[in-house]
Amino acid sequence: MKVDVLLGLQWGDEGKGKVVDVLTPKYDVITRFQGGPNAGHTLEFNNIKHVLHNIPSGIFHTDKMNIIGNGVVLDPISFKQEIDELEAKGMDITKNLLISKKAHLILPTHRVLDRASEDSKGKTKIGSTLKGIGPTYMDKTGRNGLRVGDILNNFDQKYADLKKKHQQLLSMYDKEYDVTEYEVGLQEGIDCLKRFTIIDSEHSINNYIKEGKSVLAEGAQGTLLDIDFGSYPFVTSSNTICAGACTGMGVAPNKIGEVYGIFKAYCTRVGSGPFPTELFDETGEELRKAGHEFGATTGRPRRCGWIDLVALKYSVMINGVTQLIMTKGDVLSTFKTIKVATSYIIDGVETKEFPFELPENMEVVYTELPGWSEDLTGLKSENEFPEELNAYIDYLESELEVPIKIVSVGPDRDQTIIREEA
Ligand code: GDP
Ligand code: IMO
Ligand code: MG
């Protein structure tokens, strides 16, 4: 069997959690391969909403195995909070969640460093979620980091040594930070992690593949936040793209099967950085309201704009997307016409290629398609799609040259339409 990968094609929050939950019945194992608690993946079923940050979105299907892979960065404190919430809902997931020994640990001082770095940047700040992601990946590539496997032996000393280094770094900033405040709950978090089976996940995942088990890898963030290909420096610190699934799980490229690329029928971004199709007017406000566009991790209002084909084509290319998933088409129901960005004009030159930088004075060329007024949220089959929605889908498919196989029409598990013919 091969590993299928589901990942975001925009700036995150495309609906990955919801769709992973919907697809989980088809798979034996669900994995996360990068990112950490900067992610907020929302699932809704039986009128209950769950937001997951560290744990794969297959967790509510209790007969499935979930794995936190080596490419993930794991914060014991945030992890325990999430486990506590699930246990309060009556779930015991110690049997169906495995954790890689090689996943790097987000330590309290990483969160302090994240905060200090953002404070010092002032206006040019990234808009980080302040979960310690950047400093933890810096320690990973700088070869200073601690990994989950390190909690099994002499952890306190290892943390004390790294904390010393971090405190030296912190002393270079103008402001003073109280580290102890951030350390509350660390020991409990480490104890909580120890209740789980900690594994050499690259072996386990490859053994599952050998045994014929099906694996779905769940991306976090989105392609435009990728450390190499996103809108640098306004990105996250991991490879969010398909290749990240190989390094983040120890799976060879020839073991990757389907690549599901998920996108919203419009576009959002949370945090700083360029966003060519951003709307600063009433339409943007309407999208935010209708789409409930507020961050699942930080609660910040998400910036909203029209769909961007230049960026989407780039994401499809970088990831080798084989199937598309479109979410939140229902949110567009109130718009008479829908705009789609088709090219950029930079320094007087028109381009359809996502460029090195997105300058503030760039222009965006749009095409306009008729909208639909029907409420999509109760639809059960593609045969019920309004004509204009079909036309929108046809247009996107022909531009992106990949079929849209799934259309999500609401936040609930049941509001998902699989297009048989696509
Ligand atoms: P993720 O980070 O990619 O998992 O996405 P988030 O959970 O951060 O954000 C997606 C939001 O849209 C969540 O509130 C979902 O419940 C919601 N959502 C997902 N799919 C749809 C959809 O098709 N329509 C609507 N209206 N909401 C959706
Ligand atoms: P999911 O998985 C949307 C953004 C932050 C910030 C930048 C860097 O829910 O789609 P970081 O904390 O990683 O250093 O922040 O990336 N960001 C996200 N935006 N969805 C996410 O995750 C995000 N994770 C990080 O807002 O601009
Ligand atoms: Mg999210």
Side-chain angles (χ1 to χ4, degrees), residues 2 55-56 100 154 169 199 259 336 352 355 357 378 387 392 415:
K2 298 216 168 185
I55 296 171
S100 171
N154 211 14
L169 290 174
I199 57 164
V259 181
K336 276 218 166 65
K352 285 181 187 296
E357 267 175 341
E387 202 183 303
Y392 191 62
Q415 293 171 304

Side-chain angles (χ1 to χ4, degrees), residues 167-198:
Q167 276 171 322
Q168 276 171 359
L169 290 174
L170 284 168
S171 69
M172 295 191 304
Y173 289 98
D174 293 339
K175 260 171 117 174
E176 275 194 30
Y177 295 89
D178 178 9
V179 171
T180 48
E181 221 177 85
Y182 288 75
E183 286 175 322
V184 174
L186 178 62
Q187 189 55 51
E188 292 80 358
I190 297 290
D191 293 343
C192 176
L193 265 178
K194 284 183 179 164
R195 289 169 45 211
F196 287 80
T197 310
I198 295 172

Side-chain angles (χ1 to χ4, degrees), residues 321-378:
V321 172
T322 60
Q323 302 188 27
L324 288 166
I325 300 168
M326 184 173 90
T327 59
K328 304 194 98 162
D330 52 295
V331 173
L332 293 180
S333 284
T334 53
F335 298 94
K336 276 218 166 65
T337 57
I338 299 165
K339 282 191 173 182
V340 177
T342 54
S343 61
Y344 302 154
I345 300 175
I346 299 173
D347 297 330
V349 180
E350 185 165 0
T351 181
K352 285 181 187 296
E353 286 193 0
F354 197 73
F356 173 68
E357 267 175 341
L358 297 161
E360 249 177 60
N361 62 355
M362 63 181 278
E363 284 174 57
V364 180
V365 179
Y366 291 95
T367 192
E368 214 156 331
L369 276 79
W372 52 89
S373 51
E374 291 86 344
D375 176 10
L376 307 183
T377 56

Side-chain angles (χ1 to χ4, degrees), residues 87-99:
E87 286 181 348
K89 287 173 181 163
M91 293 178 66
D92 172 12
I93 62 165
T94 48
K95 297 281 178 301
N96 60 338
L97 178 68
L98 306 172
I99 303 170

